[in-house]
Amino acid sequence: MKEFSDKTTQTSKPAAAPKSLSKMSLDEFKGWLETVTIAELADEKNVFEYDGTTITSVQAGRPAPRVHTGVSVQLGIIAVPFSVEVATIRIADNLKTATVTYNSQEPVQAKITAKPKG
């Protein structure tokens, strides 16, 4: 009985998240996306967050976040529709940086950080 009790009271550690994009499945990638913020490193930057179905973006100087529906998520690539253009976010294998391209414009660099817990 004690042996059974010892086994049931042990807490199992959650599986460690992969440290690189190339080691993730699509489901792991989507789960990871929910834990991070992607912020463009440009003057009028957008900051993106994913909740599992939609992406919100907040642009510097704008009072409220914009909710984007119809988002397409593939492993390492997120397509975010805006009213006139699509932002394509490409995540680097190190999961720390990304590039954001609006239609055929030059890519904008972005930094990926963990969302605050709570």
Side-chain angles (χ1 to χ4, degrees), residues 3-112:
E3 191 176 319
F4 175 76
S5 174
D6 289 344
K7 286 182 181 176
T8 58
T9 57
Q10 292 175 354
T11 57
S12 61
K13 293 181 183 177
K19 301 283 186 212
S20 67
L21 178 64
S22 59
K23 296 187 183 201
M24 285 184 167
S25 69
L26 179 57
D27 287 338
E28 288 171 322
F29 177 66
K30 287 179 177 180
W32 171 82
L33 268 180
E34 293 181 45
T35 69
V36 298
T37 297
I38 303 168
E40 295 175 356
L41 302 175
D43 291 337
E44 293 189 26
K45 69 179 181 178
N46 277 305
V47 177
F48 298 94
E49 290 188 356
Y50 180 68
D51 70 3
T53 55
T54 60
I55 285 202
T56 57
S57 67
V58 178
Q59 189 176 46
R62 298 263 169 112
R66 182 177 189 169
V67 178
H68 304 271
T69 56
V71 172
S72 171
V73 178
Q74 300 174 32
L75 187 58
I77 302 171
I78 307 115
V80 183
F82 281 76
S83 52
V84 180
E85 58 192 353
V86 174
T88 302
I89 304 170
R90 295 182 188 280
I91 308 296
D93 193 55
N94 66 10
L95 303 174
K96 296 178 191 232
T97 60
T99 56
V100 183
T101 306
Y102 295 90
N103 293 351
S104 60
Q105 297 175 11
E106 288 294 316
V108 174
Q109 295 301 311
K111 180 179 178 181
I112 301 170

